[in-house]
Amino acid sequence: MIKAVFFDIDGTLVSFKTHRIPDSTKQALTRMRERGVKVFIASGRPPVQMHFLKDLVDFEFDGYVVMNGQYCYDAQGVYHKEHIPTDSLRMLLPYLEQTDISCSFVELDYVYINRITKPVTDLYEMLGGTAQMEPTGDPTRSLTHTTYQLSVFLPKEEEEGFLSHLPGCKAARWNPYFTDIVPADGGKPVGLQKTLERWGIRQEESMAFGDGGNDIDMLRYAGVGVAMGNASDDVKLVADYVTADVDDDGVRRALEHYGVI
């Protein structure tokens, strides 16, 4: 019996085509609530960007696993947080100065980027109005302000070289434009684990929905991992079930398939 369901946002709850949450998904959220199922967000976005969900759906989620599991909170407060070590960031900054790599620095309530490049503008065009481009800022700020995550705009084949300048961290790629960087022992599965422990729910009683590379470990961890029809092939490969696209009632169909609603 599924007692907790975790949802990625972009490409899972929210359509890339309409930049809205389908009506069938909104109805499914309400039906889960009526049946006593706990419903959580599990996103790479930071808390400061969660407000836009309230503009898209009149629904209070039971909790939030954000910044790819680096920060978890609910109505009672924060129950897990982990940040990128300052010493690692100190090693990275000289390398960033020598390259033209765009890198976003994600804090709890503020996100900034060192420089704007074409991959950055391409990403925000794809996201439509669901995210505002970060202001440019001095990366040395990261040495005095807690940084939970980086979003680095570079191709997959350059990830290893980048990480060699940032010890103790790993990549969690969402799409071809960029990869999120989190501590090596972090990630969405850690956020799911902490959330399930908080609510007294077993791992096998959980379900997770995702579409991007940073959802792979989460889908593996959950009792049932569901890949959206619009997910990348590597995500579909690890999923227990591949549903329809977000725009084709994919969330509702999967929940009905497993008898959650």
Side-chain angles (χ1 to χ4, degrees):
M1 180 178 177
I2 298 299
K3 296 182 179 180
V5 182
F6 295 81
F7 290 100
D8 173 55
I9 296 177
D10 301 292
T12 300
L13 283 181
V14 179
S15 164
F16 286 129
K17 296 178 181 178
T18 66
H19 307 298
R20 309 297 295 178
I21 298 177
D23 288 341
S24 64
T25 299
K26 294 179 182 180
Q27 294 162 7
L29 294 175
T30 300
R31 289 170 65 184
M32 281 190 288
R33 173 64 44 77
E34 293 170 349
R35 298 189 67 172
V37 179
K38 301 302 178 183
V39 187
F40 302 93
I41 289 295
S43 172
R45 288 180 181 251
V48 71
Q49 294 181 5
M50 289 300 105
H51 63 84
F52 86 100
L53 276 177
K54 295 185 181 297
D55 297 330
L56 296 179
V57 61
D58 182 18
F59 184 85
E60 285 295 332
F61 292 89
D62 292 291
Y64 297 82
V65 174
V66 296
M67 296 185 283
N68 285 301
Q70 300 312 110
Y71 196 84
C72 305
Y73 63 98
D74 56 24
Q76 284 69 51
V78 178
Y79 54 90
H80 173 69
K81 59 181 178 179
E82 183 179 9
H83 62 84
I84 294 178
T86 303
D87 286 344
S88 296
L89 291 167
R90 187 174 287 110
M91 291 183 62
L92 174 68
L93 296 189
Y95 175 69
L96 281 181
E97 287 187 4
Q98 299 166 10
T99 70
D100 61 354
I101 295 173
S102 291
C103 179
S104 291
F105 294 77
V106 185
E107 299 174 9
L108 183 61
D109 55 5
Y110 184 65
V111 183
Y112 61 98
I113 193 167
N114 64 330
R115 61 175 64 90
I116 303 296
T117 56
K118 188 175 186 303
V120 177
T121 57
D122 287 346
L123 171 70
Y124 281 89
E125 182 178 342
M126 181 186 74
L127 291 175
T130 64
Q132 292 183 331
M133 190 176 296
E134 302 101 351
T136 54
D138 182 356
T140 59
R141 174 187 168 95
S142 65
L143 302 181
T144 55
H145 292 71
T146 303
T147 302
Y148 290 90
Q149 175 178 280
L150 303 178
S151 295
V152 187
F153 292 79
L154 80 178
K156 185 174 180 58
E157 57 268 23
E158 296 180 17
E159 283 181 8
E160 186 175 349
F162 182 89
L163 289 171
S164 69
H165 299 276
L166 191 67
C169 294
K170 66 180 180 181
R173 179 167 292 273
W174 176 46
N175 68 14
Y177 294 109
F178 75 94
T179 184
D180 289 326
I181 305 292
V182 298
D185 59 352
K188 287 188 179 184
V190 176
L192 265 64
Q193 178 188 356
K194 299 295 183 180
T195 302
L196 295 174
E197 290 174 354
R198 185 169 177 83
W199 288 88
I201 298 173
R202 294 179 297 172
Q203 182 177 352
E204 58 267 29
E205 296 172 326
S206 66
M207 174 183 283
F209 285 73
D211 71 297
N214 62 335
D215 297 319
I216 289 176
D217 288 344
M218 174 176 73
L219 299 192
R220 284 175 170 156
Y221 178 85
V224 177
V226 179
M228 303 303 293
N230 48 276
S232 52
D233 289 341
D234 54 345
V235 179
K236 293 177 179 178
L237 189 63
V238 305
D240 297 299
Y241 183 74
V242 179
T243 188
D245 289 11
V246 58
D247 296 290
D248 193 23
D249 305 328
V251 167
R252 188 204 68 201
R253 293 183 186 210
L255 292 171
E256 289 178 342
H257 174 80
Y258 282 97
V260 181
I261 61 175

